[in-house]
Amino acid sequence: AQTVTQSQPEMSVQEAETVTLSCTYDTSENNYYLFWYKQPPSRQMILVIRQEAYKQQNATENRFSVNFQKAAKSFSLKISDSQLGDTAMYFCAFMKRDDYKLSFGAGTTVTVRA
Amino acid sequence: DTAVSQTPKYLVTQMGNDKSIKCEQNLGHDTMYWYKQDSKKFLKIMFSYNNKELIINETVPNRFSPKSPDKAHLNLHINSLELGDSAVYFCASSQWDPTKETQYFGPGTRLLVL
């Protein structure tokens, strides 16, 4: 079974500043996908960004970017120019290719301060 | 417009009762999932159906029975509800295609067993 570890239970950031969330995972697979999902207080699970393990280029979606280090099995999320609407719990998730089963980390609660 | 919808959003019931949660997706996906998020916000997959066929069945008590009448619907029936079943249940869907594997989640159903 894959293990996904998010070592930061909570983080706080000033509006307009940058915050980086860490995620490490344990797998012997070579083909897999990594995701970051956001869960705001509304409870909805929203996809933030995805990364294919065979791609070396780090994924970027507007103010969200990842630092994917395959050898280190690390997949951190950077939120730039933080906005109040970014306040949420962020989950890192792993999926083996052809497995269709997401394994989630424990989540990191991000609070953006005005 | 809703991509993945669940009913009901909230469910409060007594121990021992039987209840169902319904899920529908209009994304044209052929694979649907149920995840459980416990009180510590930990998310874990329960079941997955592809084209009405059960493909993932994690270690879940057999009081939980999923049913997929067609590709767009996946229901979850729970018999003899227990206090420990209190959680948020998320439905998700994706395409059965390694290049389109991203899962999209419904808004969740908060189940409270008294």
Side-chain angles (χ1 to χ4, degrees):
Chain A
Q2 273 58 240
T3 305
V4 179
T5 302
Q6 293 179 247
S7 56
Q8 305 147 314
E10 294 180 2
M11 297 195 76
S12 181
V13 61
Q14 193 71 33
E15 199 175 5
E17 297 196 341
T18 296
V19 63
T20 300
L21 283 59
S22 69
C23 173
T24 58
Y25 55 95
D26 183 23
T27 186
S28 56
E29 301 293 327
N30 198 41
N31 291 321
Y32 53 87
Y33 302 92
L34 294 160
F35 304 85
W36 280 98
Y37 281 89
K38 166 185 175 180
Q39 187 176 39
S42 66
R43 196 174 70 214
Q44 177 78 49
M45 289 288 288
I46 302 163
L47 176 71
V48 175
I49 202 164
R50 66 187 279 276
Q51 174 83 40
E52 294 145 354
Y54 62 86
K55 286 189 178 175
Q56 291 191 336
Q57 186 173 6
N58 289 324
T60 299
E61 283 290 335
N62 300 316
R63 297 181 295 105
F64 298 88
S65 61
V66 298
N67 183 3
F68 174 48
Q69 302 287 329
K70 191 172 184 180
K73 297 180 184 173
S74 169
F75 183 60
S76 61
L77 174 71
K78 184 168 84 171
I79 308 174
S80 304
D81 185 25
S82 297
Q83 300 176 359
L84 296 178
D86 296 334
T87 292
M89 195 154 188
Y90 288 80
F91 292 93
C92 179
F94 172 101
M95 186 171 74
K96 190 171 65 170
R97 186 180 161 103
D98 296 333
D99 193 27
Y100 299 92
K101 185 164 62 176
L102 284 168
S103 296
F104 285 91
T108 297
T109 300
V110 173
T111 303
V112 180
R113 307 184 309 273
Chain B
D1 259 344
T2 307
V4 183
S5 59
Q6 293 178 229
T7 52
K9 285 197 167 53
Y10 298 94
L11 188 51
V12 181
T13 188
Q14 299 288 329
M15 242 176 21
N17 284 351
D18 303 338
K19 290 291 177 188
S20 291
I21 306 171
K22 295 186 176 183
C23 178
E24 177 180 0
Q25 55 93 6
N26 63 5
L27 295 167
H29 291 161
D30 55 10
T31 307
M32 296 183 73
Y33 312 79
W34 280 111
Y35 286 84
K36 179 180 179 180
Q37 185 174 41
D38 64 21
S39 58
K40 294 183 180 174
K41 304 280 187 160
F42 186 70
L43 275 149
K44 189 169 164 54
I45 191 162
M46 300 172 69
F47 302 102
S48 175
Y49 269 76
N50 171 250
N51 276 322
K52 303 193 293 177
E53 187 180 333
L54 182 66
I55 53 168
I56 296 173
N57 186 354
E58 292 294 286
T59 311
V60 176
N62 57 16
R63 298 182 295 104
F64 290 78
S65 52
K67 280 209 176 99
S68 181
D70 55 58
K71 286 195 304 186
H73 295 85
L74 180 62
N75 304 324
L76 182 65
H77 188 75
I78 316 170
N79 287 329
S80 303
L81 278 154
E82 299 177 358
L83 294 177
D85 298 333
S86 294
V88 180
Y89 293 85
F90 285 97
C91 177
S93 73
S94 74
Q95 198 62 19
W96 188 260
D97 179 336
T99 65
K100 299 175 187 174
E101 73 306 318
T102 299
Q103 295 181 20
Y104 296 90
F105 284 76
T109 295
R110 183 178 292 279
L111 170 65
L112 179 60
V113 182
L114 302 173

